[in-house]
Amino acid sequence: LKSTPSDPPFHERRRAVRLLPGTPGNDGILDPRFGKKVFKLLPGDFFVTRRDEILTTVLGSCIAACIRDPEAGVGGMNHFMLPTAMHDSGAWTGNAGNANRYGAFAMESLINAVLKLGARRERLEVKLFGGAAVIPGMSDVGARNIEFVRDYLATEALPVTAESVGDVTPRRVNYLPRTGDVLVRRLRLVTRDSLAQREREYLQTLAREPVSGGVELFGS
Amino acid sequence: VPGAGRGTAARVAADRRGPEQYGVWRMASLILAVDDSASMRQMVNFTLKGAGYQVVQATDGVEALEYARGNAVDLVLTDVNMPRMDGITLVRELRALATYRYTPMLVLTTESSQEKKMQGKQAGATGWIVKPFNPDQLLATIARVL
C-alpha cells in the first residue's frame, strides 16, 4: 500500500496564522473587572479549560456551544457555522452532506477536548448562543445553524440547560466554565454590518475548502 | 444501487445472484463501525449502507471487541477517543487475535497529530482518516483496502 501524505485540516492551516487561545504566546488577557483571564474566540475556534477563566466571543449567525462537566470542573466553547454551497449541489445537503459533517466535526472537536480533560459524557451540560439573522439576504443562515445544533445535541442525548438564540441582534457571550455562568450582551445594530461582513467571509472560506481531513494509508 | 461507490457496485450485484447460478457467492462485506458519537455513527452508517455494505455499529471499543470476537467482520472502522476502550487499543486487541491478523482496520478520528497516527500504525491500523470525512474518499479508501 502506498502512503499518501495529507494536508493538515483547514482549521490547522487557518489557525496557524494567529496564536490560538491557550497556546504559548496567547495566554489570555487579565480582565480587571473579574480578576480572571479572558480568552477570545473567533469563527472556527474552540477552547477548553480546567482553570477559572472566561471565554468570550461575538456572534452573529454563528453558534457558540458552551459545554462543561460541573463535577470535573472542565468546560469549553466553540464558535462555528455550517458551510453552505455557493452553488447548489447535492453534496452539501442531506444526512451526510458537507454541512452536517462540518457541523458535527465542530461539535465533536469541542466535546472530545472536554472529555480529554476529564469530563464525562453523561455529566455534560450545554448552553447555546447565536444564530441571529445578521447577514442581509441570507436570513436562513442563523436559523439553519440553530436547527443543526439542536438536532445534533438531541441525537447525542446531551441536554441544553440554557440558550439565547435567533432574533436579529448580535451577541457578546462571556462564559465562565468553572461556574457555568454566562453573561450575554445584545449588541447594537451598528455592529451588524462589520459582523455580517466577517461572517460572509467565513462562509466563503468554508465553501472553498473541501470538507475533508485527509487520508493516510500505512505501508507495511 | 444509488450512490454505490466504485468497486462496490459489482459486489452488491453479486449478492443478488444465488450460489446455484454462480460458482462463488459472496455476501456484501461486513463493516464494523465504532464511534461513541451517535451523529457520527448515523453519518457513517448512511454513507456505507448507501454504497451497499453491511454495517454493524458499536459505541466503544469494548462493545466492538465483543462483537468482533463472535462474528466475522471484513473491515473495522473506528474512532479513537471513546469511553471504556479507545480505538487504538481496540485495533491492538483485534490484531492479537488470529482471525483479525489481516483484516483491514481504518481509524476515523478528529485526531490529526503525527504522534497519534504513529500510535495507530504501531497498534496495527491499516490507515488513518481525519474528520470531517469526505464520503467519496472514505468509500474509495475502504474499497482499496478490502
Side-chain angles (χ1 to χ4, degrees), chain A residues 64-67 125-130 150 153 158-165 175 180-182 184:
Chain A
C66 302
I67 302 186
E125 65 170 45
V126 185
K127 299 186 179 183
L128 287 181
F129 304 94
R150 283 189 176 148
L153 293 167
L158 293 173
V160 177
T161 55
E163 62 175 33
S164 169
V165 295
Y175 179 50
D181 289 340
V182 186
V184 183

Side-chain angles (χ1 to χ4, degrees), chain A:
Chain A
L1 291 172
K2 201 178 83 205
S3 164
T4 42
S6 51
D7 281 337
F10 159 63
H11 274 81
E12 289 183 12
R13 268 178 286 152
R14 202 176 66 83
R15 283 168 164 207
V17 179
R18 84 186 168 91
L19 290 170
L20 275 177
T23 54
N26 182 355
D27 195 26
I29 296 160
L30 191 71
D31 187 321
R33 289 171 302 170
F34 294 97
K36 299 180 203 298
K37 286 249 176 103
V38 176
F39 291 87
K40 186 180 175 183
L41 279 83
L42 293 182
D45 287 349
F46 69 91
F47 183 64
V48 296
T49 182
R50 238 194 207 122
R51 303 204 190 105
D52 190 9
E53 293 167 335
I54 301 173
L55 315 185
T56 185
T57 199
V58 175
L59 300 160
S61 56
C62 287
I63 295 285
C66 302
I67 302 186
R68 73 176 194 128
D69 175 342
E71 253 177 74
V74 171
M77 178 198 264
N78 63 10
H79 180 150
F80 73 100
M81 75 161 98
L82 300 189
T84 41
M86 292 294 149
H87 310 285
D88 197 37
S89 144
W92 288 87
T93 54
N95 200 327
N98 278 2
N100 273 346
R101 281 183 295 109
Y102 181 82
F105 166 71
M107 289 300 293
E108 196 186 350
S109 300
L110 172 63
I111 292 169
N112 278 345
V114 290
L115 294 180
K116 267 193 192 172
L117 283 188
R120 294 268 297 275
R121 192 175 259 273
E122 61 273 19
R123 291 196 302 237
L124 294 181
E125 65 170 45
V126 185
K127 299 186 179 183
L128 287 181
F129 304 94
V134 295
I135 309 179
M138 295 182 87
S139 58
D140 62 329
V141 171
R144 230 174 109 234
N145 293 333
I146 298 168
E147 192 192 344
F148 161 80
V149 77
R150 283 189 176 148
D151 277 359
Y152 179 90
L153 293 167
T155 306
E156 299 291 336
L158 293 173
V160 177
T161 55
E163 62 175 33
S164 169
V165 295
D167 208 339
V168 295
T169 50
R171 294 169 172 87
R172 172 174 284 285
V173 177
N174 286 294
Y175 179 50
L176 290 83
R178 179 57 61 85
T179 57
D181 289 340
V182 186
L183 302 154
V184 183
R185 192 203 289 165
R186 299 295 197 97
L187 302 177
R188 280 179 302 162
L189 292 176
V190 280
T191 57
R192 269 181 61 179
D193 289 346
S194 58
L195 197 59
Q197 181 56 29
R198 184 179 86 180
E199 292 195 339
R200 225 182 274 113
E201 281 165 18
Y202 177 42
L203 264 179
Q204 276 160 9
T205 319
L206 288 177
R208 272 198 305 273
E209 296 285 334
V211 184
S212 167
V215 176
E216 185 175 335
L217 289 179
F218 302 130
S220 45

Side-chain angles (χ1 to χ4, degrees), chain A residues 1-2 6 9 12 95-96 101 104-105 108-109 112 116 121 152 155-156 211-219, chain B residues 36-40 42-43 46-47 81 110-112 117 125-135 137 144:
Chain A
L1 291 172
K2 201 178 83 205
S6 51
E12 289 183 12
N95 200 327
R101 281 183 295 109
F105 166 71
E108 196 186 350
S109 300
N112 278 345
K116 267 193 192 172
R121 192 175 259 273
Y152 179 90
T155 306
E156 299 291 336
V211 184
S212 167
V215 176
E216 185 175 335
L217 289 179
F218 302 130
Chain B
D36 60 332
S37 155
S39 326
M40 194 52 64
Q42 272 182 12
M43 287 190 283
F46 178 85
T47 303
N81 301 303
T110 51
E111 299 280 353
S112 59
K117 275 187 195 172
T126 313
W128 194 273
I129 305 168
V130 179
K131 290 172 186 172
F133 74 93
N134 172 316
Q137 200 178 44
R144 195 165 149 193

